[in-house]
Amino acid sequence: MNNKGFTLIEVLVVSAILFLVVGFLGYLSVKHFWIYNSQVSQLDIGNDARFSLDDIDNFVRSARRVSVSYDIYSTGPQTLVLQLPSIDSSNKIIENTYDYVVYYLSGQALVREIFPDAISDRESGIKTLTSYIDEDNFSFTYDNADYSLVKKITTLISIKKGQSGQQRSITLSSKSFLRNY
């Protein structure tokens, strides 16, 4: 007989080989996707921590001094109250007039709130810098027990974020110096 076609055994062998190749490629795709998401998550928390520290550092350098309190906020290990010179519309300092910037934790969120003086052109507002703070590893440390004499602030920030069954964390520290002391 001169039949043209494939036998059942040939079809089964080719199907099994094809199934193995497709399965292996699927496994590689899933693994690659998992690794990619893991790395993106690690970069995100690193960026959040660095952005938060840079924001704090920028306002500390502009501050006149660390204030003991403002409104309902009091400076302490997890709250920072800064007194900044008020500015006009040309970004020039208004003498003897001050704005306040407060950093504090609200749950796991690090929040910056700006309270400008009535004649200041600095914009008021609330901004959440990051939402994944590890409360046990977050603190402001001051170089002087008298907050009005503080010249250096050390900020410790730890961010933990769970995604896809993975817990990612990063801990960074920064020293900021008051320039306008």
Side-chain angles (χ1 to χ4, degrees), residues 125-137:
I126 298 174
K127 182 171 186 173
T128 300
L129 301 177
T130 185
S131 298
Y132 304 103
I133 295 290
D134 176 8
E135 299 168 45
D136 296 329
N137 292 313

Side-chain angles (χ1 to χ4, degrees), residues 78-180:
Q78 293 192 331
T79 303
L80 172 62
V81 180
L82 297 169
Q83 183 186 63
L84 283 78
S86 295
I87 55 173
D88 63 16
S89 60
S90 303
N91 284 334
K92 292 183 181 170
I93 293 175
I94 302 170
E95 294 295 324
N96 300 319
T97 306
Y98 302 102
D99 302 333
Y100 290 86
V101 176
V102 180
Y103 290 93
Y104 60 91
L105 287 181
S106 177
Q108 289 184 309
L110 176 59
V111 178
R112 178 194 70 210
E113 196 163 353
I114 299 174
F115 301 95
D117 188 82
I119 63 171
S120 177
D121 276 339
R122 190 182 312 270
E123 288 190 37
S124 66
I126 298 174
K127 182 171 186 173
T128 300
L129 301 177
T130 185
S131 298
Y132 304 103
I133 295 290
D134 176 8
E135 299 168 45
D136 296 329
N137 292 313
F138 175 81
S139 66
F140 295 109
T141 308
Y142 309 96
D143 69 340
N144 198 315
D146 181 353
Y147 294 132
S148 64
L149 299 176
V150 169
K151 294 180 185 177
K152 178 178 76 171
I153 301 166
T154 303
T155 307
L156 174 68
I157 187 169
S158 183
I159 297 178
K160 283 186 180 178
K161 185 177 180 182
Q163 185 176 6
S164 303
Q166 291 275 326
Q167 184 77 6
R168 298 286 179 193
S169 67
I170 189 168
T171 302
L172 296 175
S173 178
S174 176
K175 293 179 184 173
S176 307
F177 295 88
L178 277 82
R179 251 193 290 197
N180 299 318

Side-chain angles (χ1 to χ4, degrees), residues 46-71:
N47 287 340
D48 281 356
R50 185 78 268 159
F51 172 77
S52 299
L53 287 174
D54 288 346
D55 192 87
I56 293 167
D57 189 51
N58 286 335
F59 276 100
V60 167
R61 281 186 280 146
S62 300
R64 178 178 174 263
R65 68 181 178 98
V66 173
S67 183
V68 173
S69 65
Y70 178 79
D71 197 26

Side-chain angles (χ1 to χ4, degrees), residues 22-38:
V22 169
F24 180 70
L25 291 175
Y27 169 77
L28 286 178
S29 295
V30 168
K31 191 70 169 170
H32 173 69
F33 182 72
W34 182 81
I35 291 171
Y36 173 79
N37 282 341
S38 175

